[in-house]
Amino acid sequence: MASHRRPKQPSRARVTVLTTAAAAAVVLGGNAAHAAPAKPSKGEVKEKVDKLHEEAEQATEKYNGAKEKQKKLEKEIDALQDNVARGQEDLNELRDAIGMAAAAQYRSGTIDSSMQLFLSADPDDYLDKASTLDQLSNQQVESLAEIQDKQRELAQQRQEASTKLDDLAETREELGKKRKEVQAKLAEAQKLLNSLTAAERAEMAQEEAKAAQESASLAGGGGPAGSGFAASAFAAAQTKIGVPYSYGATGPNSFDCSGLTSWAYGEAGVHIPRTSQAQANAGTRLSMSQLKVGDLVIFYSDLHHVGLYAGNGQVLHAPRTGTNVRYESINNMPFQFGVRI
């Protein structure tokens, strides 16, 4: 027969020990789950901030490209709309002229059925009815053909303007997105910097000031210039050493990287494209050993950064947000190729 004895109950002391251990495990586990992540070091923050600034510059060059496209489209649309307005005036004059001729025929009682057809229908429709052409004078046929050509030209220009207006709307939307992307990257970088102590931020500021001082001590301009234009462009850029970086800026009081190079060559009397990617295709490509002072220097695989070769293994450029136009070693960034304008 099976035993029906009651199981032995744990002692009060043992229950107390187990309860205390369980409570301790819960507390420790809770603390582990809610423990604040380790505060990043100054070096880690700097690395993340530099990465964010690089991403912001990538977005900046796309922003610049959209902005240039917007300007181009606005000019093209203005020109098309002007052409359409002038074309409509020409068309009205042609219609008035043939209408006056028809009125004269009507008053004299000599208006023919073909002219009546013109006055009551579209010239395109009329000219398709070739059987009536022998009833018109040569001058009337030429006038109607000119009206037809002008109408077709205006229709084409209106369609082209409409297409470009749609493209402009999309470009403006893209421009807004890229602006927000740049601003978000910069805001994230600033948030990281704000997480540092005052002493750590002061150390980083001192490091940046030291880099600026080292830049000022560099001679720059070692060796011959790539061309007369390059020499003039480099001389112009040298006058902007110490001017702050600002995304989308083309000078004269602030610059982004391609804003500085396009401004400098503009001062030399040469127009080059606005963005670094477009500037990469603006002239003859060069290896590092072929570089001369004033040549463009393109960095990163996506070509999102550009500067001017300063000689002696240095580049003069607008680095990124929080810095000023300065000299820097060409080896501090992934060199792609040079461009001689």
Side-chain angles (χ1 to χ4, degrees), residues 31 40 55 58 95 107 127 134 141 149 155 182 201 206 215 246 253 278 288 294 309 314 319 326:
N31 287 344
E55 292 172 356
Q58 288 174 308
R95 283 175 169 167
R107 285 194 298 270
L127 288 174
D134 58 352
V141 169
D149 290 342
V182 173
R201 289 197 297 271
Q206 288 174 357
S215 168
S246 179
N253 298 318
M288 189 178 291
Y309 187 61
Q314 303 290 322
R326 69 187 186 198

Side-chain angles (χ1 to χ4, degrees), residues 85-241:
R86 286 194 295 270
Q88 188 63 55
E89 290 177 359
D90 293 342
L91 180 59
N92 292 341
E93 289 178 3
L94 288 169
R95 283 175 169 167
D96 289 345
I98 202 166
M100 290 174 64
Q105 288 182 356
Y106 177 80
R107 285 194 298 270
S108 64
T110 60
I111 187 169
D112 55 37
S113 59
S114 59
M115 183 61 73
Q116 292 173 12
L117 179 61
F118 164 69
L119 292 175
S120 61
D122 186 274
D124 283 343
D125 179 61
Y126 169 72
L127 288 174
D128 288 338
K129 297 176 174 60
S131 61
T132 63
L133 289 178
D134 58 352
Q135 301 177 40
L136 291 172
S137 68
N138 288 336
Q139 183 177 1
Q140 289 170 337
V141 169
E142 290 175 2
S143 296
L144 289 173
E146 190 175 356
I147 288 174
Q148 183 187 47
D149 290 342
K150 181 60 69 175
Q151 284 183 317
R152 288 173 177 168
E153 180 184 347
L154 285 173
Q156 182 179 351
Q157 289 179 337
R158 286 191 176 104
Q159 180 57 48
E160 187 177 353
S162 177
T163 300
K164 287 186 182 295
L165 282 168
D166 290 340
D167 196 5
L168 178 60
E170 292 177 4
T171 300
R172 284 174 172 162
E173 184 178 355
E174 180 187 0
L175 188 62
K177 288 179 180 178
K178 291 304 173 186
R179 182 188 291 111
K180 289 180 180 178
E181 183 179 349
V182 173
Q183 292 171 339
K185 297 290 183 185
L186 296 179
E188 188 177 353
Q190 188 59 52
K191 184 178 179 180
L192 278 170
L193 290 172
N194 291 342
S195 71
L196 296 175
T197 65
E200 288 172 330
R201 289 197 297 271
E203 287 177 11
M204 289 184 68
Q206 288 174 357
E207 290 169 3
E208 183 59 37
K210 182 179 178 182
Q213 289 173 354
E214 290 174 352
S215 168
S217 68
L218 294 171
S227 68
F229 293 127
S232 297
F234 182 73
Q238 282 182 305
T239 68
K240 296 303 177 181
I241 292 173

